[in-house]
Amino acid sequence: MRDPQRVEEILQSMVKAGSNTVQVISDFDMTLTRFAYKGKRCPTCHNILDNSNLISNECREELKVLLDTYYPIEIDSARSIAEKLPLMVEWWTKAHKILVQQKIRKDLLATAVRDSDAMLRATSSSSTTCMSTASPSIFSAGIGDILEEVIRQAGVFHSNVKVFSNYMDFDESGLLKAFKGELIHIYNKREGALLNTGHFQELRTRPNVLLLGDSLGDLTMADGVEERKQSYLDLYDIVLVQDETLEVPNAIMLYLT
Ligand code: C5P
Ligand code: MG
């Protein structure tokens, strides 16, 4: 924490306002899911498909080239968001196009998730606090169908969880034909929030937000955490380093109730 006293004040004022004024807004990849497990990187929604047999080897190669090109840009602290934004749109657009060409089968997504190394952050008795209380909203630049499946298979896809993400559009035979709606990438989640004002109106009675994210785009990680730590400390109230659990946000939610 850059300013522990301020965090304490925020928490106290949230306690005073009451837990029924609090909502959780969270990113998905690398926030609700782990960054790594036993020293091995865990996959993002996209990586689950990249590593699956739902796509051809040629497609896998193409996606890998994209990842190797654009991921270093995503996490480059020397570039401004303005500079990164068009490149991120380019990455997502190209990746979606390649995936659509693969005519991915809807009925095989669950198996791809089951066979993957995707893991939600470590759980304990209080593990699902964030997911089960305070009407959590998930804003993800990943793939909605995949992330829902990850949460469902972990047994925490409660009916109060609202997801805003890139959803797949399947034809009548269940083959991927497009992605639905406006593209959500890491830097336009706020626009996503505005588009979904209906939902946010519903949550207006909960003006206090526990926001969880792993990227600076999640405000408006975790390779090279050290070099980026200062910007994270400047912008997030609490920064967790090498913590593959949800203990802190869960403890905050329990503290507020
Ligand atoms: O859920 P979240 O918003 O974190 O999902 C976005 C993440 O997906 C990005 O951090 C990016 O690294 C990753 N990604 C990917 N392959 C793509 C596009 C994005 O792994 N083609
Ligand atoms: Mg993320």
Side-chain angles (χ1 to χ4, degrees):
M1 285 179 271
R2 189 173 52 100
D3 188 347
Q5 201 186 328
R6 188 179 134 73
V7 175
E8 178 68 29
E9 280 163 18
I10 293 172
L11 287 177
Q12 288 310 335
S13 68
M14 281 163 106
V15 169
K16 219 164 135 196
S19 61
N20 58 352
T21 67
V22 180
Q23 61 174 303
V24 175
I25 295 184
S26 183
D27 168 54
F28 184 73
D29 289 305
M30 310 291 117
T31 297
L32 288 182
T33 54
R34 285 177 182 241
F35 177 74
Y37 181 61
K38 294 190 173 162
K40 200 172 155 240
R41 278 295 297 261
C42 292
T44 61
C45 292
H46 277 278
N47 301 154
I48 291 174
L49 287 183
D50 300 353
N51 302 336
S52 78
N53 57 12
L54 301 186
I55 60 170
S56 67
N57 284 335
E58 194 191 358
C59 169
R60 204 181 329 279
E61 281 302 310
E62 287 178 62
L63 290 169
K64 170 110 180 38
V65 171
L66 292 182
L67 182 73
D68 293 345
T69 310
Y70 292 102
Y71 184 66
I73 300 174
E74 176 187 351
I75 61 163
D76 184 355
S77 55
R79 295 185 201 230
S80 68
I81 290 182
E83 196 183 333
K84 292 193 221 184
L85 193 147
L87 297 166
M88 294 298 105
V89 173
E90 205 172 279
W91 180 15
W92 262 255
T93 309
K94 284 182 183 167
H96 282 185
K97 192 168 163 213
I98 294 175
L99 289 173
V100 167
Q101 285 165 356
Q102 294 297 300
K103 299 197 183 332
I104 291 169
R105 278 173 55 180
K106 183 180 167 65
D107 63 330
L108 294 179
L109 293 180
T111 313
V113 169
R114 208 165 290 121
D115 293 346
S116 77
D117 294 324
M119 273 174 97
L120 291 185
R121 278 180 190 268
T123 53
S124 70
S125 53
S126 62
S127 68
T128 57
T129 308
C130 278
M131 296 294 288
S132 58
T133 61
S135 311
S137 314
I138 299 173
F139 276 86
S140 171
I143 301 171
D145 309 72
I146 304 275
L147 81 85
E148 280 194 10
E149 196 53 44
V150 174
I151 304 173
R152 194 173 295 122
Q153 289 184 18
V156 290
F157 196 26
H158 308 299
S159 58
N160 59 334
V161 179
K162 291 272 183 319
V163 180
F164 303 98
S165 186
N166 300 300
Y167 277 89
M168 293 172 149
D169 199 1
F170 297 95
D171 65 17
E172 54 291 349
S173 53
L175 302 178
L176 179 64
K177 63 169 185 185
F179 279 84
K180 293 179 189 167
E182 293 286 318
L183 174 73
I184 301 179
H185 54 80
I186 51 169
Y187 294 124
N188 71 349
K189 292 186 180 181
R190 189 176 43 180
E191 283 87 332
L194 292 175
L195 280 176
N196 290 291
T197 43
H199 172 63
F200 281 86
Q201 224 108 60
E202 239 174 84
L203 292 173
R204 255 166 65 184
T205 50
R206 295 178 178 272
N208 292 315
V209 176
L210 179 63
L211 181 136
L212 313 176
D214 77 299
S215 122
L216 298 180
D218 293 332
L219 284 161
T220 52
M221 109 191 144
D223 289 344
V225 162
E226 284 308 315
E227 63 173 21
R228 287 182 291 145
K229 199 153 118 191
Q230 195 52 50
S231 4
Y232 276 84
L233 283 169
D234 287 343
L235 293 164
Y236 280 98
D237 293 313
I238 302 175
V239 178
L240 304 173
V241 179
Q242 287 188 350
D243 176 6
E244 295 289 349
T245 76
L246 280 177
E247 298 296 314
V248 172
N250 282 334
I252 291 174
M253 288 312 295
L254 287 175
Y255 181 65
L256 297 178
T257 38

